[in-house]
Amino acid sequence: MIKLIQHPLIECKLSIMRNKNSTDLEFRTCLDEIASLMTVEALKDLETVQTREIETPTGAKVMKTKLAKEIILAPVLRAGVGMVEGVRRMVPKARVGYIGMYRNEETLQPVEYYFKLPNIKDATVVILDPMLATGGSIAMAIDDVRKHGYTNIRCICLIAAPEGKKFVEERYPDIDVYVAAMDERLNEVGYILPGLGDAGDRIFGTK
Ligand code: PRP
Ligand code: URA
């Protein structure tokens, strides 16, 4: 299910990312900061456990609390890499694996070239990819993660198109996909409108 995270700080930072005149540095900084802000909401249902008693400076006793399960961040290369540090700022002990894929520019079908996640099957896997356009890439990423035996999966994206939302919701009614904006549509070459252009190129300055 697509879950929209709305926050004034995210809106301001996203508008900087959408501006074609923003620099690569501004683009990366805003993506990184939005990823941190989204993490708070996207992980708010995580279970915690209390491990041992600790003492506060007042002499009072409280329990130390930690996450019940490990977190694995799974950025989809390349653009998902731009979200990793922002999420990890909030979850410093998260492990990181990579899912390598690109969209064939003519067919818009994803092509996978790499998959490596830490081997902790009961971890919560958080797939990261800023752009959910047709939904093909995130679907292939979810299928791969499942195929490798992970069952607890959620996704954090930045912008979704209605086409991708429909595709993902029909195919994965049990998986939460957090987004910061629902845009209007795809254009004739599969880019999100109004969108922000090619996320990977803007993060890495490849165009
Ligand atoms: C972009 C984006 C997603 C995909 C979304 O990656 O980061 O992975 O397109 O499109 P979809 O929903 O239609 O599958 P791209 O293929 O441009 O690769 P890159 O990150 O290496 O530039
Ligand atoms: N990938 C991008 O980077 N941008 C889009 O608008 C669609 C797919």
Side-chain angles (χ1 to χ4, degrees):
M1 185 173 167
I2 299 280
K3 295 192 168 172
L4 183 63
I5 298 176
Q6 288 178 298
H7 192 290
L9 295 178
I10 295 179
E11 271 175 54
C12 297
K13 292 174 197 301
L14 183 54
S15 77
I16 295 172
M17 295 182 71
R18 289 189 192 276
N19 185 346
K20 69 174 187 184
N21 294 320
S22 293
T23 62
D24 295 351
L25 177 60
E26 288 168 325
F27 189 91
R28 281 196 303 275
T29 302
C30 288
L31 178 59
D32 171 79
E33 292 173 351
I34 291 173
S36 293
L37 292 167
M38 291 184 76
T39 301
V40 176
E41 184 68 19
L43 300 187
K44 76 174 180 191
D45 62 329
L46 289 185
E47 273 176 48
T48 56
V49 287
Q50 303 200 318
T51 52
R52 63 183 165 84
E53 203 173 60
I54 52 175
E55 193 175 331
T56 77
T58 66
K61 303 272 196 323
V62 294
M63 295 303 287
K64 179 174 168 57
T65 302
K66 58 178 248 188
L67 293 179
K69 288 187 174 165
E70 297 245 25
I71 305 282
I72 296 176
L73 307 181
V76 176
L77 302 176
R78 294 172 300 164
V81 172
M83 301 174 78
V84 171
E85 287 313 314
V87 178
R88 209 148 52 157
R89 193 172 299 124
M90 300 292 116
V91 198
K93 291 189 175 157
R95 295 166 191 253
V96 181
Y98 293 91
I99 304 173
M101 63 180 65
Y102 65 90
R103 254 190 351 170
N104 177 308
E105 285 180 7
E106 264 124 52
T107 63
L108 298 184
Q109 292 306 305
V111 181
E112 186 176 329
Y113 57 86
Y114 187 77
F115 184 98
K116 180 108 182 143
L117 296 194
N119 188 24
I120 308 166
K121 302 297 182 195
D122 72 338
T124 300
V125 178
V126 185
I127 298 174
L128 305 174
D129 192 338
M131 307 309 279
L132 202 170
T134 64
S137 301
I138 208 91
M140 185 179 261
I142 292 170
D143 289 345
D144 276 353
V145 171
R146 276 190 168 159
K147 222 182 293 164
H148 283 81
Y150 304 86
T151 53
N152 189 351
I153 302 167
R154 64 187 69 193
C155 307
I156 305 180
C157 300
L158 182 64
I159 299 180
E163 294 87 338
K165 174 182 192 294
K166 185 168 183 290
F167 182 68
V168 166
E169 285 185 334
E170 283 173 6
R171 198 162 153 147
Y172 309 105
D174 55 329
I175 291 188
D176 289 332
V177 178
Y178 294 88
V179 303
M182 275 305 313
D183 273 12
E184 287 164 23
R185 64 183 175 90
L186 296 179
N187 70 10
E188 56 292 345
V189 287
Y191 275 78
I192 300 174
L193 292 178
L196 46 70
D198 188 304
D201 283 344
R202 296 195 66 190
I203 293 166
F204 295 104
T206 36
K207 260 191 193 149

